[in-house]
Amino acid sequence: MKTLKLLYIDTPFIGFDSGDKNRSKFLYESLVKDYNTDVFLIKNAEYSKELLYSHRNDNRLFTIKNIKQPWYKSQAVLNFDKQNLDKLKNIILKNSYDVCFLRLSSTAKIADFIKSINPKIKIIIDVDMLFSEISNAAWNQNKSIKNRYHFFEYYKLSFFEKRLFNKDYNFLYTNKNELELVKNKYNIKNNDNHFVLPNVINKIKVDESKKIKDKYILFYGVLNSTANLSAYTYLIEKIYPLLKFFLKSTDTKIYIVGKNATPLHQKKYENIKLIGEVDDIASYIKNSLLVLFPLTVASGTLTRILEVASLKKSIVATSRAASGLDLEGKIFIANKEDEIAGDILTICQNKQTKEKYENIAFKYVSNNYSFSNVQEKLSTIIKDITSKTSVLHIPRRFTKSHWGGTENVVVSIANGLKNYGIKSKVITSDILSDKKEEVISNIKVKRFSYFYPYFNLSNKNKNSLDLVGGNLFSWSLFYYLFFIKDVDLIHLHTAKRMGSIARTICKIRKIPYIVTIHGGLYDINQNEAKTRMQPTQNSFEWGKVLGFLFGSRRVYDDASSIITLNKKEYENTKKNYPNKDVYLLSNSVNIKQFQIQKDETFRNRYSIDEDKFVFLSSARIDKQKNQLLILKAFKNLLEKNKNIHLLLVGNITDEDYLNELKEFISFENLQDFITIITDLKPNSSELINTYLNSNAFVLASTHEPFGIVALEAWASKLPLILSSVCGICNVIEAEKTALVFENESLLSLEKNMNKILLDEDLKNRLITNASLEVLNYDESLINKTLSNIYDKSINSKK
């Protein structure tokens, strides 16, 4: 059912063939198909009624006319008089549009006008090409009095674009190069509202029966466009002289195909043939030796290159022509005339190389620029833009290389809340990551530089703080949060200095925020707390000044709501904040994620015998997780039963502790019975198969606010053994859904592991009961409750 109401604004495009019109057709077809779309055409010339009516499908059609701009404004930007704007105003007022989708930045005046009428409408502008860059390139090609128009246009357009791209609209670009250019040129402080939407392959049918006798190289396009005129000039003046002998000696021609030929194209050259406009460009592409794109002036992504690659035809192009397509190594790209000529000769004389490049480009373009793939990306972008609520999640760190419980929780929340019209983004430090931006599990992640406010802090101690518990500060994060637009709520997954940054911004901007306590406020092991502070013992902390200025001790005081993960933390928080909304909301698990087919080759790959009983412990390699206790209990069990194996899985946060584990394994000669895996990607099928290929799960943590891996064990139908300090113990019935051993007790752990090993009835009972219990922790239930908490927090600020 089409629920989103959308107005698509463009100049007439059906009945025209060019790169920009093809993109318009793609957008039109996609939007009309998926949304309740009306089409609004700007008649920038005279059109027949039949042509205008051809834009009607499953949509209503409106039209207005544009007028000429005054001399002091760019002629590339469309202008409108009051009469036509009043017509548009009536349309906007009569229809409750959710989105106004404008084709090309030249329609910006309409965007401003619509926003003034209805500020709630989401504005999307498909930039496609930067007009200022076209004018700049045209001027640089010919810096003369005669060509001064492009000089003035460049400065007019630059002024126009700078104002436009810093507005609270959403902008689409055909490639990442264009986005980066805009970001750098116009000092975009926050580019969250800037997206890349690639062009698509325009499927063109080939008449296989049509043959062209000549051997020829193809140059095609709208011949009188600025880009193609400069390309043709470059071909004639620079490239052609280098190819003249080859063309003549092999009776090879260069075909010039396209409409709007100019006197320049009419001039006669040996072995160059002007074909002009044709009805069947596909046949000309398919029968050519190669297609040449020697563009020196261009903007946006050249869709003709995608067309040619999709027909498995060789391409020689300048980097300007192939800008943003990521086709390096897949087509021939060169910028000097001698290199271009050399590439042409290579294709014409080396069949094997020619076919190799054709196949590589065809495969790449088919995978990345297909209609369905780009349409899905467009749908995702629109969904992201039109979500009702925008939430920023702020954990201390967030990286695939050191994945843990907090990361699992954030991903589960962010993806699950999409079903409630909530879009999420993760904002964090760049601890343990060199990527400033990436997408993890369909969630955007943005990272910022940071520092620890200590004098005399060694690199080794800094690295220790990075891994666990470092109390950091980030000016760039503060700056970002100060300027970011379209934020309804901030969800903190950390407190201290990093949380105080968000607290300060939220107070200034009147944005509500909530805090999830992932452990460490009231429910923390004192030995662990002491261990976390060791790296700073020989350093002087000057960060207390920052803590005072930003209110690091008031992060919980000023939060709209506080979420806790276990009963003990909940009771203490409720006691200390009696007038605040405090929730006990346990972690959740995506049960379906663990219902994949078991990989029967897993054990063989890790040299684990098929008949072995495998104990699994999945947790980061850290003293807090207490894998050494599991090793000791396993060694004692092994003396009685050789048919067991221990699998330790988790990223490394304590190298010294890992070495301690390895030394124990070596000293006790346990190498054949223990497997340690530290490099599995979060939520990967390989990680899930560690569960599916095991027989029991052990969690021995000395401190665990909740223990999301326990839920994962239940979802995988594994009997669970865990330490009595784990937060989830508050809801566990001993010997019904899990076995609970006394914290840090070797004897108690060994006893429970032996029970699971020997008592088949107990094992099956635990699995059956846990399979029912885990349904109460499915992420869909938890996310519904969380969405209500979000709504209440947001409404309390209104």
Side-chain angles (χ1 to χ4, degrees):
M1 183 178 179
K2 300 178 181 180
T3 56
L4 199 70
K5 200 166 184 182
L6 188 146
L7 182 65
Y8 177 65
I9 299 177
D10 200 347
T11 57
F13 50 89
I14 294 177
F16 300 92
D17 290 313
S18 62
D20 61 321
K21 300 301 183 183
N22 288 332
R23 185 169 174 89
S24 292
K25 291 169 191 173
F26 161 73
L27 292 171
Y28 165 77
E29 290 178 31
S30 302
L31 297 174
V32 169
K33 171 180 170 290
D34 293 335
Y35 309 105
N36 187 359
T37 303
D38 291 340
V39 175
F40 192 90
L41 296 180
I42 303 165
K43 298 192 293 182
N44 58 348
E46 294 299 324
Y47 304 96
S48 67
K49 288 185 178 180
E50 291 76 15
L51 188 143
L52 293 175
Y53 288 152
S54 66
H55 292 75
R56 291 196 61 176
N57 185 1
D58 183 21
N59 60 277
R60 292 186 297 170
L61 176 68
F62 307 104
T63 63
I64 61 169
K65 292 182 179 179
N66 67 301
I67 61 172
K68 189 177 180 180
Q69 283 278 22
W71 66 269
Y72 54 87
K73 291 189 176 182
S74 169
Q75 301 305 304
V77 180
L78 298 179
N79 190 26
F80 305 90
D81 60 21
K82 185 178 184 301
Q83 182 181 352
N84 280 284
L85 289 177
D86 285 342
K87 183 177 180 181
L88 172 60
K89 181 178 181 179
N90 290 331
I91 293 168
I92 297 298
L93 292 175
K94 287 179 181 179
N95 299 277
S96 300
Y97 293 116
D98 301 295
V99 176
C100 178
F101 195 114
L102 299 102
R103 181 80 173 95
L104 299 175
S105 56
S106 59
T107 56
K109 184 170 183 176
I110 287 182
D112 295 340
F113 184 74
I114 290 174
K115 203 69 172 175
S116 68
I117 298 169
N118 186 354
K120 292 184 178 180
I121 292 180
K122 300 287 186 180
I123 300 291
I124 303 176
I125 297 179
D126 184 55
V127 177
D128 190 10
M129 62 185 75
L130 285 178
F131 296 117
S132 65
E133 289 302 296
I134 296 176
S135 292
N136 188 38
W139 167 249
N140 287 327
Q141 284 281 308
N142 179 18
K143 294 182 178 181
S144 65
I145 296 296
K146 187 177 180 181
N147 202 36
R148 65 187 180 278
Y149 168 82
H150 292 293
F151 173 82
F152 291 114
E153 275 290 284
Y154 170 69
Y155 284 100
K156 291 176 188 176
L157 285 166
S158 294
F159 178 75
F160 160 77
E161 289 172 352
K162 183 175 183 178
R163 293 179 65 241
L164 173 64
F165 292 130
N166 276 289
K167 289 185 177 180
D168 192 16
Y169 300 157
N170 300 280
F171 301 96
L172 308 184
Y173 305 85
T174 58
N175 64 78
K176 60 185 180 184
N177 292 0
E178 290 279 286
L179 192 155
E180 285 301 313
L181 193 155
V182 168
K183 180 180 174 182
N184 296 326
K185 182 177 179 180
Y186 298 120
N187 190 28
I188 306 298
K189 296 182 178 69
N190 169 43
N191 65 330
D192 287 350
N193 55 329
H194 295 249
F195 305 85
V196 173
L197 181 72
N199 275 323
V200 300
I201 301 170
N202 301 304
K203 294 182 179 179
I204 44 182
K205 295 180 180 180
V206 179
D207 184 354
E208 298 291 348
S209 64
K210 187 172 182 179
K211 303 295 180 183
I212 301 173
K213 292 182 180 180
D214 284 339
K215 288 190 299 181
Y216 62 92
I217 296 163
L218 179 63
F219 175 104
Y220 80 100
V222 179
L223 299 180
N224 68 340
S225 72
T226 301
N228 288 327
L229 269 175
S230 64
Y232 182 75
T233 302
Y234 182 52
L235 168 62
I236 294 300
E237 294 180 356
K238 302 291 185 180
I239 303 170
Y240 170 66
L242 300 176
L243 293 174
K244 196 170 182 180
F245 176 77
F246 166 76
L247 296 173
K248 188 174 181 179
S249 62
T250 59
D251 194 24
T252 301
K253 294 180 173 58
I254 297 178
Y255 273 16
I256 310 301
V257 176
K259 64 182 180 181
N260 300 341
T262 71
L264 181 64
H265 300 96
Q266 303 288 349
K267 191 174 179 180
K268 302 293 183 181
Y269 294 94
E270 193 173 8
N271 289 85
I272 292 182
K273 186 174 181 179
L274 175 62
I275 303 297
E277 188 172 3
V278 297
D279 294 327
D280 184 15
I281 188 61
S283 296
Y284 280 87
I285 295 172
K286 198 66 179 176
N287 285 284
S288 68
L289 294 170
L290 62 96
V291 182
L292 179 61
F293 297 100
L295 273 68
T296 58
V297 177
S299 187
T301 304
L302 197 63
T303 54
R304 284 174 284 161
I305 290 181
L306 303 180
E307 293 173 355
V308 176
S310 71
L311 292 174
K312 277 194 179 180
K313 187 55 58 178
S314 293
I315 298 166
V316 176
T318 58
S319 57
R320 171 74 72 172
S323 174
L325 286 172
D326 292 332
L327 285 172
E328 291 81 3
K330 304 173 187 71
I331 66 173
F332 289 85
I333 299 176
N335 294 312
K336 296 180 179 179
E337 52 268 21
D338 57 336
E339 293 174 351
I340 294 172
D343 287 342
I344 291 171
L345 294 177
T346 298
I347 293 172
C348 292
Q349 296 172 350
N350 191 322
K351 184 179 179 182
Q352 187 176 2
T353 301
K354 177 178 183 291
E355 291 179 350
K356 174 187 173 183
Y357 275 82
E358 287 173 348
N359 288 325
I360 292 172
F362 172 78
K363 184 177 180 180
Y364 177 79
V365 168
S366 298
N367 289 337
N368 291 277
Y369 296 94
S370 68
F371 194 98
S372 59
N373 286 348
V374 181
Q375 191 175 57
E376 183 179 349
K377 187 172 181 64
L378 173 62
S379 177
T380 300
I381 291 171
I382 292 177
K383 186 175 181 180
D384 186 35
I385 291 170
T386 57
S387 294
K388 295 177 184 176
T389 305
S390 178
V391 175
L392 297 182
H393 292 270
I394 305 182
R396 191 180 74 94
R397 72 169 196 225
F398 197 91
T399 175
K400 288 187 282 188
S401 64
H402 289 71
W403 199 259
T406 300
E407 288 82 359
N408 265 329
V409 170
V410 173
V411 163
S412 174
I413 291 171
N415 279 314
L417 290 176
K418 290 178 181 178
N419 297 323
Y420 298 91
I422 298 170
K423 66 176 178 181
S424 301
K425 184 173 182 177
V426 174
I427 309 299
T428 188
S429 69
D430 59 3
I431 289 177
L432 303 172
S433 179
D434 58 359
K435 294 182 179 179
K436 289 296 184 182
E437 293 187 44
E438 67 176 317
V439 176
I440 299 179
S441 299
N442 300 313
I443 304 301
K444 288 182 180 179
V445 180
K446 192 174 183 69
R447 301 186 179 93
F448 296 90
S449 58
Y450 67 99
F451 62 92
Y452 294 113
Y454 292 89
F455 291 123
N456 194 35
L457 186 67
S458 68
N459 286 333
K460 181 180 179 181
N461 287 334
K462 176 186 176 296
N463 293 338
S464 297
L465 292 174
D466 283 348
L467 292 170
V468 181
N471 189 3
L472 61 86
F473 194 86
S474 172
W475 285 113
S476 56
L477 173 64
F478 176 83
Y479 183 75
Y480 175 82
L481 291 176
F482 190 85
F483 286 102
I484 188 173
K485 301 164 185 173
D486 190 29
V487 180
D488 298 297
L489 178 80
I490 289 179
H491 188 158
L492 283 172
H493 300 269
T494 184
K496 298 184 179 179
R497 295 189 189 103
M498 195 170 183
S500 73
I501 295 170
R503 169 195 171 271
T504 302
I505 293 296
C506 288
K507 287 184 74 67
I508 293 171
R509 298 184 57 188
K510 295 182 171 32
I511 298 171
Y513 73 92
I514 67 173
V515 187
T516 291
I517 302 173
H518 289 272
L521 183 59
Y522 303 112
D523 181 21
I524 185 168
N525 182 286
Q526 292 304 312
N527 288 332
E528 182 190 347
K530 187 176 180 180
T531 299
R532 289 186 181 184
M533 292 303 297
Q534 280 181 349
T536 64
Q537 283 183 352
N538 297 319
S539 303
F540 175 77
E541 181 182 7
W542 61 269
K544 291 180 180 179
V545 176
L546 293 172
F548 175 77
L549 291 174
F550 288 87
S552 60
R553 294 180 182 272
R554 294 187 55 81
V555 173
Y556 296 104
D557 301 62
D558 296 327
S560 298
S561 306
I562 302 174
I563 296 173
T564 62
L565 302 180
N566 63 64
K567 190 175 181 181
K568 184 177 180 181
E569 201 87 72
Y570 170 77
E571 290 173 347
N572 284 317
T573 305
K574 192 67 180 172
K575 180 181 177 181
N576 285 280
Y577 297 97
N579 300 318
K580 192 169 291 296
D581 288 332
V582 180
Y583 300 91
L584 174 57
L585 190 64
S586 64
N587 283 330
S588 62
V589 64
N590 183 349
I591 297 174
K592 290 182 180 179
Q593 191 177 31
F594 290 85
Q595 295 175 345
I596 64 173
Q597 186 173 353
K598 176 182 174 182
D599 182 357
E600 301 293 346
T601 68
F602 177 87
R603 286 198 176 194
N604 184 55
R605 288 202 311 278
Y606 289 99
S607 301
I608 303 173
D609 292 343
E610 290 297 327
D611 62 341
K612 289 287 182 74
F613 188 101
V614 176
F615 289 98
L616 167 67
S617 180
S618 179
R620 70 177 189 268
I621 307 299
D622 191 284
K623 283 184 179 180
Q624 178 196 334
K625 303 303 179 181
N626 209 8
Q627 287 95 342
L628 185 59
L629 185 70
I630 302 175
L631 283 176
K632 291 176 180 178
F634 178 80
K635 178 188 80 72
N636 294 342
L637 283 179
L638 193 62
E639 293 173 359
K640 308 168 192 174
N641 189 337
K642 296 293 183 183
N643 199 40
I644 59 176
H645 196 95
L646 178 61
L647 179 57
L648 301 179
V649 177
N651 59 74
I652 305 163
T653 56
D654 190 333
E655 287 283 355
D656 292 338
Y657 188 62
L658 175 63
N659 291 332
E660 187 178 349
L661 298 179
K662 288 181 176 179
E663 287 172 7
F664 180 88
I665 293 168
S666 177
F667 183 79
E668 299 292 346
N669 293 316
L670 300 175
Q671 295 91 333
D672 294 337
F673 301 93
I674 296 174
T675 301
I676 301 177
I677 308 174
T678 62
D679 59 352
L680 297 184
K681 294 180 179 179
N683 300 318
S684 64
S685 60
E686 188 77 352
L687 177 59
I688 292 170
N689 263 288
T690 64
Y691 288 83
L692 302 183
N693 281 276
S694 299
N695 303 101
F697 191 94
V698 183
L699 180 60
S701 302
T702 59
H703 169 65
E704 194 70 62
F706 183 79
I708 195 170
V709 289
L711 300 180
E712 294 175 352
W714 283 352
S716 307
K717 295 184 169 26
L718 291 180
L720 174 63
I721 306 167
L722 75 169
S723 164
S724 58
V725 299
C726 295
I728 195 174
C729 288
N730 294 312
V731 296
I732 282 177
E733 295 183 56
E735 300 209 5
K736 183 177 180 180
T737 53
L739 298 182
V740 180
F741 72 91
E742 186 180 338
N743 183 37
E744 297 194 71
S745 171
L746 175 60
L747 182 63
S748 180
L749 173 57
E750 182 186 337
K751 179 182 175 182
N752 282 284
M753 289 174 70
N754 197 44
K755 274 186 182 181
I756 290 291
L757 191 59
L758 300 178
D759 193 335
E760 190 70 21
D761 289 339
L762 172 63
K763 175 187 170 185
N764 291 334
R765 185 169 70 251
L766 291 174
I767 292 173
T768 300
N769 293 334
S771 296
L772 295 174
E773 181 66 21
V774 76
L775 298 176
N776 297 317
Y777 298 90
D778 186 64
E779 61 182 22
S780 60
L781 299 174
I782 304 300
N783 289 332
K784 182 178 181 181
T785 303
L786 189 57
S787 71
N788 291 332
I789 295 173
Y790 282 5
D791 286 342
K792 186 176 180 180
S793 298
I794 292 169
N795 291 330
S796 69
K797 283 284 183 178
K798 291 181 179 178

